[in-house]
Amino acid sequence: MQKIMAAPGPVSYPLILAESKADISIDFDKEGYSDVIADSITSLIKRGLKVDFITVKELLAVHPKLKGPKIGVFRKGSAGEILVKAAMDKYNIKGEIIYADSWQQLLNLLNSGELNSAVVSIALVKPEKTLESIVGAQVLMG
């Protein structure tokens, strides 16, 4: 039997459906370790855990490309912030993160030249690579 620790909420819904048909046991918690840990990418990275799979479609991109010195992010503590910090670390990119309170503010800062790049939704740009793929998280289903 595979033991799974899952954060309560949407990340656990597919596991709850599968529990009666699969050889799994779910522990609803956000701390500790198990055979499998299912949580938001933000929580996994904050805990220093390796992200092996993302089970939702990749939704973020860096536009126009990841470069400093000023990189814009929508909301402090968001998945975008956590992922861009991981990408900056991975590629040794030095820069300051500038936070915006809205997508429009973020785009205005980028368009006015106050930012060198910004983390945006793939609904706004057609990226070569998503931010999730830049940090090496494999998409399990998309």
Side-chain angles (χ1 to χ4, degrees):
M1 175 169 290
Q2 194 86 100
K3 298 230 179 239
I4 299 174
M5 180 187 312
V11 72
S12 65
Y13 299 163
L15 297 169
I16 293 167
L17 290 173
E19 189 173 27
S20 64
K21 295 181 175 28
D23 194 22
I24 61 174
S25 170
I26 305 170
D27 179 22
F28 295 100
D29 204 343
K30 289 185 67 75
E31 299 297 326
Y33 295 91
S34 191
D35 297 328
V36 175
I37 299 175
D39 204 341
S40 71
I41 193 165
T42 305
S43 294
L44 293 172
I45 292 173
K46 280 184 176 178
R47 289 178 57 193
L49 299 173
K50 182 176 182 275
V51 177
D52 292 312
F53 297 102
I54 297 173
T55 58
V56 296
K57 188 173 178 104
E58 298 172 84
L59 300 174
L60 298 172
V62 179
H63 183 75
K65 66 179 188 175
L66 183 56
K67 63 180 179 176
K70 294 188 178 191
I71 302 167
V73 174
F74 177 58
R75 292 194 183 144
K76 186 171 182 67
S78 66
E81 178 195 21
I82 301 299
L83 288 169
V84 82
K85 283 182 175 180
M88 290 168 69
D89 186 55
K90 181 176 182 175
Y91 294 103
N92 198 27
I93 294 171
K94 304 294 182 219
E96 172 188 10
I97 295 180
I98 308 296
Y99 300 98
D101 294 323
S102 70
W103 288 107
Q104 188 60 52
Q105 181 190 13
L106 186 64
L107 292 174
N108 289 343
L109 290 168
L110 184 62
N111 291 333
S112 70
E114 294 178 60
L115 299 175
N116 302 97
S117 56
V119 176
V120 296
S121 166
I122 61 166
L124 301 174
V125 298
K126 197 156 187 87
E128 276 184 40
K129 286 182 152 185
T130 62
L131 184 52
E132 293 87 345
S133 67
I134 289 171
V135 298
Q138 178 184 356
V139 176
L140 182 57
M141 62 184 225

